[in-house]
Amino acid sequence: MATAARRRFCRCACFCSQNLYVARYGLHLRFRDEQQLRRDYGPLLRSRGCVSSKDFQQLLEELEQEVGRRRRLGQESAARKALIASTYHPARPDVYCSLQDAVLAPEFVAAAEYSASPGAGLEGLLQQLEIVSEEKRIYRVPVFLAEFCQALLEELEHFEQSDMPKGRPNTMNNYGVLMHELGLDEPLVTPLRERFLQPLLALLYPECGGGQLDSHRAFVVKYALGQDLELGCHYDNAELTLNVALGKAFTGGALYFGGLFQAPAALMEPLEVDHVVGQGILHRGGQLHGARPLGTGERWNLVIWLRASAVRNRLCPMCCQKPELVDDEGFGDGFTREESAVVDVCALT
């Protein structure tokens, strides 16, 4: 017998107490109890319209419900994924096939191949990308062919219209799909990260763990009239982010960017970036950003939060402290810890 180290993915305990988003007040809040909430946010909440006792009681109830939802999230997500895998019938089985170069934009494949080649450098890679902002280090690159975007959208709409259970993409978006629950992590997102994004991001963002990406959280967000229309200022719980426009026809909804870990209140002249179907925007997770209101139509985007445990194990990007690790399902929130496992050496020989 021998002892071997095994990695387990975790989340930080702050997930259940920090960055709780309250849309109508446009705030991310820390929450432990009523006394702490009044002490830390009383004047700010009143300035945003939380004035009466009824307003505050409603806020308390919402925060308590959100904390409960987050604590149950891993188990409930795993249960939804199992039910979907056993009973859902896809409209487009082809999108569940292992990722093939044929569905990717040739420019994206070429950029990834160059990045993985001997002697590749940042200057050479930048010649193959659109530099949206040199200062903010935001880049654009074609990712998927239009035909694949259409096929993926058909499958996503079919799932949306089914009676399958659906989890929220994140705490700020109410409409969309979690890719791992639908079964698209393994065939689509993981090979996209490992084969294409990692070599490319190793050159673009080495200090952010671009060459050490070992997990992700991928989801599709949907914006439509009568549903989610816009997205407030926020940071991503990720070292790096890829945001790919899938369609459909729409106006408005542009992304806007501020500074790295800039306070939302200080955002004065943001950089606006329009969506182009099939193309992806690459940026650091800590880059302050949001989305302008949708004008007409529907907008669907694939968002991949790319994570490097070698970076986030040192400092949680959400609470800015050394993470307090809590066991979680799947990739968790991208933190890892080593666990000892007993291996029968004789059985392996």
Side-chain angles (χ1 to χ4, degrees), residues 31 41 59 102 109 118 128 139 147-148 196 201 224-225 246 254 261 273 282 325:
F31 176 65
Y41 298 106
L59 174 61
V109 175
Q128 303 189 46
Y139 308 98
E147 295 82 1
F148 181 76
F196 298 95
L201 297 176
L225 302 181
L246 300 176
F261 292 111
V273 182
L282 291 163
L325 299 181

Side-chain angles (χ1 to χ4, degrees), residues 5 37 55 58 63 81 115 120 136 151 163 168 190 258 263 274 283 304 311 324 329 335:
L37 187 67
D55 292 337
Q58 184 179 2
L63 291 173
K81 180 179 179 181
S115 299
K136 292 178 169 55
D163 59 0
R168 288 172 58 185
T190 295
D274 289 328
H283 63 86
I304 306 176
V311 174
E324 180 185 344
E329 302 286 337
F335 304 94

Side-chain angles (χ1 to χ4, degrees), residues 16-219:
C16 291
S17 62
Q18 301 208 27
N19 294 293
L20 307 179
Y21 185 62
V22 184
R24 71 177 178 281
Y25 299 132
L27 294 172
H28 286 85
L29 304 176
R30 297 184 305 278
F31 176 65
R32 292 190 301 275
D33 53 46
E34 179 178 350
Q35 184 179 8
Q36 169 267 323
L37 187 67
R38 289 186 183 276
R39 183 182 65 247
D40 292 351
Y41 298 106
L44 179 58
L45 284 168
R46 286 192 292 273
S47 73
R48 297 292 180 96
C50 184
V51 178
S52 68
S53 297
K54 183 179 178 180
D55 292 337
F56 195 83
Q57 187 60 39
Q58 184 179 2
L59 174 61
L60 273 178
E61 292 173 0
E62 287 183 17
L63 291 173
E64 289 168 352
Q65 289 174 5
E66 175 61 14
V67 169
R69 187 192 72 85
R70 291 188 181 201
R71 286 176 175 160
R72 300 186 303 270
L73 192 61
Q75 289 184 334
E76 291 183 351
S77 179
R80 285 192 298 267
K81 180 179 179 181
L83 180 61
I84 292 166
S86 63
T87 61
Y88 174 64
H89 299 287
R92 295 295 303 258
D94 51 313
V95 304
Y96 294 85
C97 297
S98 296
L99 180 66
Q100 302 295 315
D101 291 11
V103 307
L104 300 172
E107 302 95 324
F108 182 59
V109 175
E113 289 178 346
Y114 168 79
S115 299
S117 65
L122 177 60
E123 185 176 345
L125 175 58
L126 291 179
Q127 294 176 10
Q128 303 189 46
L129 307 178
E130 177 187 339
I131 302 173
V132 176
S133 171
E134 185 173 7
E135 175 195 0
K136 292 178 169 55
R137 297 171 67 192
I138 300 172
Y139 308 98
R140 187 198 300 271
V141 61
V143 177
F144 297 122
L145 296 179
E147 295 82 1
F148 181 76
C149 291
Q150 181 60 37
L152 183 56
L153 272 177
E154 289 177 13
E155 176 57 28
L156 293 169
E157 289 188 297
H158 176 71
F159 177 72
E160 182 189 42
Q161 294 161 12
S162 75
D163 59 0
M164 290 290 100
K166 301 167 183 70
R168 288 172 58 185
N170 56 63
T171 59
M172 297 181 72
N173 290 93
N174 296 297
Y175 298 91
V177 178
L178 290 161
M179 297 294 274
H180 78 279
E181 290 188 5
L182 190 53
L184 285 170
D185 246 8
E186 292 81 2
L188 175 60
V189 184
T190 295
L192 190 71
R193 167 171 57 85
E194 293 178 343
R195 291 176 50 205
F196 298 95
L197 291 170
Q198 180 141 315
L200 194 151
L201 297 176
L203 293 180
L204 288 177
Y205 306 103
E207 80 290 354
C208 297
Q212 300 170 288
L213 303 173
D214 53 2
S215 73
H216 59 262
R217 179 176 175 83
F219 49 90

Side-chain angles (χ1 to χ4, degrees), residues 172-320:
M172 297 181 72
N173 290 93
N174 296 297
Y175 298 91
V177 178
L178 290 161
M179 297 294 274
H180 78 279
E181 290 188 5
L182 190 53
L184 285 170
D185 246 8
E186 292 81 2
L188 175 60
V189 184
T190 295
L192 190 71
R193 167 171 57 85
E194 293 178 343
R195 291 176 50 205
F196 298 95
L197 291 170
Q198 180 141 315
L200 194 151
L201 297 176
L203 293 180
L204 288 177
Y205 306 103
E207 80 290 354
C208 297
Q212 300 170 288
L213 303 173
D214 53 2
S215 73
H216 59 262
R217 179 176 175 83
F219 49 90
V220 172
V221 291
K222 176 191 176 186
Y223 296 86
L225 302 181
Q227 300 182 7
D228 290 337
L229 289 177
E230 59 188 312
L231 191 63
C233 286
H234 65 284
Y235 315 108
D236 293 340
N237 187 357
E239 277 62 69
L240 302 163
T241 296
L242 172 68
N243 186 329
V244 184
L246 300 176
K248 303 162 72 173
F250 61 90
T251 60
L255 297 174
Y256 62 89
F257 291 91
L260 190 65
F261 292 111
Q262 179 185 11
L267 185 60
M268 302 300 292
E269 297 182 2
L271 169 73
E272 294 208 359
V273 182
D274 289 328
H275 301 277
V276 179
V277 172
Q279 298 193 6
I281 301 297
L282 291 163
H283 63 86
R284 293 171 289 183
Q287 202 79 41
L288 183 69
H289 62 286
R292 297 299 188 198
L294 187 75
T296 61
E298 290 184 12
R299 176 168 75 83
W300 297 67
N301 284 61
L302 170 63
V303 179
I304 306 176
W305 287 352
L306 298 153
R307 293 160 166 172
S309 61
V311 174
R312 62 181 37 227
N313 281 352
R314 299 194 299 267
L315 190 74
C316 172
M318 306 313 288
C319 65
C320 298

